[in-house]
Amino acid sequence: MASQPQSPFARFVHSESFAGLLLVVTAIIAFLWANSPWRETYTTMQHTYLGLSLGTSELKLSIEHWVNDGLMAVFFLLVGLEIKRELLIGELASRRRATLAVAAAAGGMVLPGALYYLLNAGGPGASGWGVPMATDIAFALGVLALLGSRIPLGLKVFLTALAIVDDLGAVLVIALFYTESVNLTFLALAALTWGAALLAGLRGAFSMKVYAVLGAVLWYFVLRSGLHATIAGVLLAFTVPIRKPDPGQYLASLADAARPGRGEVVGARLRDLEDLLERAQSPLHRMEHALHPFVTFAVLPVFALVNAGVAVTAGGVGVVSFGVMLGLLLGKPLGVVGGAWLAVRAGVASLPRRVTWAHMVGAGILSGIGFTMSLFVSNLAFDDADLLTQAKLGVLMASVLAALLGAGWLVLTSRKNSSDSDSAL
């Protein structure tokens, strides 16, 4: 019997689960490398400089900065595309579902940051309050995928929406609080470039080359302006047009392809229909589909390889580590569940179908998997190497514990719920 085709969301969850596994493996390799007898080669790799020249201009950055400022801009471009899609035609387009995700994400950002700051206020690690605020969607959905059908689809949809709102909040935090100084000349050039991209999007520019060129120029100007270069990815994403597909465009061609005829004639009709369906996709959908494998299999693993190599020393775990762990392991679940409960209690939101509050607690615990975004913010928050090491160790330990505790909680509560349902029959 032929297998049933997967829905787009099921395919997305499957790919994200594999992305989570790939991130785990790459992070373990980096961690072992940084704590092996060859640890110096790891540091050398991070700080090897590579340059690009164009005429008399030269841009020279270390591999670490090329990854964190360059490749991660592509990751943030994909994040921006997902945010725009969800806001316009996805889960966040529904007012009640959006309200639930926004309320849960707000609680899941404010409380972890507050707990971290209470522990580090007045100390050298105070600037790291943004580290425990975001959720790593690849890891979190990967854990849910491992639990299989015992987890309702509504919980996976909620966690996806929560992580997307989290990412939007993280972008705003980076732009507003982790920018040291601004070069107004380059900021103006970035604004003009973004305006050109916005105009191209409003006019319905379909070619990906247009956005690639404008995106590269925008990235350079944002980098030189003093804002973090990854902001360019989100800015570009919001210029890419999206539209709902119009079935009327290809119904006639579908009927034509179904007419009887010789094999080669029918084959030609089907190829024409395939080309028409490809053109019917909006630029945003085409760009998102093109970027997703590259980000999954290249950008995020390379980021993990460059950033997860934390050398464990005698003083590696400190108050910054405890602040990050407190925020991710306690602040996240309390904030997420508390924000969602307040929204449902106020009557402006409701839980997804078949999702219980026990499920929501499990999702709150899993949202404490901060890995990618938390490591990224750590690099922005700390110039001091010792504090950065403390933050990264806190992120790694908290993410592992959140994954284990969240999975364990959902296994136990799902088994209990199944037993209760069976006894009620």
Side-chain angles (χ1 to χ4, degrees):
M1 180 183 293
S3 60
Q4 293 295 320
Q6 290 182 310
S7 68
F9 188 81
R11 290 196 299 271
F12 174 74
V13 170
H14 178 76
S15 65
E16 289 298 337
S17 66
F18 183 78
L21 177 61
L22 189 60
L23 276 176
V24 170
V25 172
T26 314
I28 290 173
I29 291 173
F31 187 81
L32 293 177
W33 186 4
N35 290 278
S36 72
W38 304 280
R39 63 175 64 90
E40 290 184 5
T41 62
Y42 183 82
T43 304
T44 301
M45 177 272 293
Q46 286 180 308
H47 298 101
T48 297
Y49 277 76
L50 302 174
L52 289 177
S53 297
L54 182 62
T56 58
S57 299
E58 183 181 20
L59 181 62
K60 196 170 185 179
L61 301 172
S62 67
I63 289 179
E64 184 178 21
H65 280 101
W66 275 118
V67 171
N68 293 341
D69 293 351
L71 283 181
M72 287 301 285
V74 182
F75 166 74
F76 276 88
L77 170 58
L78 181 61
V79 167
L81 294 172
E82 291 174 344
I83 291 171
K84 182 172 182 177
R85 171 175 49 79
E86 292 296 322
L87 285 172
L88 295 180
I89 62 173
E91 291 301 317
L92 300 181
S94 164
R95 184 180 62 83
R96 292 184 70 83
R97 287 197 293 264
T99 301
L100 183 68
V102 170
M109 294 183 73
V110 172
L111 193 56
L115 289 177
Y116 175 94
Y117 191 76
L118 286 175
L119 199 61
N120 286 273
S127 61
W129 57 268
V131 174
M133 293 179 69
T135 297
D136 190 304
I137 186 173
F139 272 157
L141 284 177
V143 173
L144 283 185
L146 293 175
L147 299 179
S149 58
R150 75 179 72 201
I151 303 302
L153 180 62
L155 187 68
K156 300 174 184 178
V157 174
F158 165 75
L159 189 58
T160 302
L162 169 68
I164 288 173
V165 177
D166 253 6
D167 286 342
L168 179 59
V171 169
L172 293 175
V173 167
I174 291 169
L176 296 176
F177 300 103
Y178 290 108
T179 297
E180 295 181 359
S181 60
V182 176
N183 184 309
L184 294 179
T185 300
F186 281 105
L187 186 63
L189 290 172
L192 288 174
T193 307
W194 185 72
L198 189 63
L199 181 62
L202 291 174
R203 297 185 63 178
F206 194 80
S207 173
M208 295 299 102
K209 295 179 182 178
V210 172
Y211 298 104
V213 172
L214 289 172
V217 175
L218 177 62
W219 176 84
Y220 176 75
F221 287 149
V222 171
L223 176 69
R224 296 296 300 272
S225 74
L227 294 176
H228 199 274
T230 52
I231 301 299
V234 179
L235 290 175
L236 181 66
F238 279 91
T239 70
V240 181
I242 183 174
R243 63 174 181 271
K244 294 181 179 180
D246 180 11
Q249 294 184 60
Y250 52 84
L251 283 178
S253 297
L254 180 62
D256 182 62
R259 287 191 296 107
R262 295 194 307 272
E264 62 271 16
V265 174
V266 174
R269 293 173 189 162
L270 290 173
R271 285 193 295 272
D272 291 341
L273 178 60
E274 185 178 358
D275 291 340
L276 183 61
L277 288 171
E278 176 71 17
R279 293 195 301 273
Q281 282 190 315
S282 70
L284 186 144
H285 284 97
R286 291 182 65 235
M287 186 179 293
E288 189 177 353
H289 293 161
L291 288 177
H292 199 278
F294 176 66
V295 170
T296 299
F297 303 123
V299 173
L300 292 181
V302 170
F303 173 82
L305 182 66
V306 171
N307 289 275
V310 185
V312 179
T313 60
V317 177
V319 67
V320 169
S321 304
F322 294 128
V324 171
M325 295 181 70
L326 183 67
L328 288 173
L329 294 176
L330 182 62
K332 268 292 184 181
L334 289 178
V336 166
V337 177
W341 183 84
L342 288 175
V344 172
R345 183 74 173 176
V348 296
S350 55
L351 293 184
R353 191 171 67 91
R354 295 183 57 227
V355 172
T356 66
W357 283 110
H359 288 133
M360 293 292 285
V361 171
I365 298 172
L366 288 180
S367 70
I369 305 174
F371 192 74
T372 302
M373 291 297 290
S374 293
L375 288 177
F376 185 79
V377 176
S378 297
N379 289 320
L380 302 180
F382 299 113
D383 293 323
D384 183 273
D386 291 336
L387 295 178
L388 180 58
T389 296
Q390 287 187 37
K392 287 187 173 183
L393 283 174
V395 170
L396 294 175
M397 290 187 292
S399 296
V400 170
L401 286 173
L404 295 175
L405 292 173
W409 172 270
L410 286 172
V411 167
L412 290 175
T413 56
S414 297
R415 183 180 301 163
K416 181 178 184 301
N417 289 338
S418 299
S419 300
D420 290 346
S421 299
D422 293 340
S423 63
L425 293 178

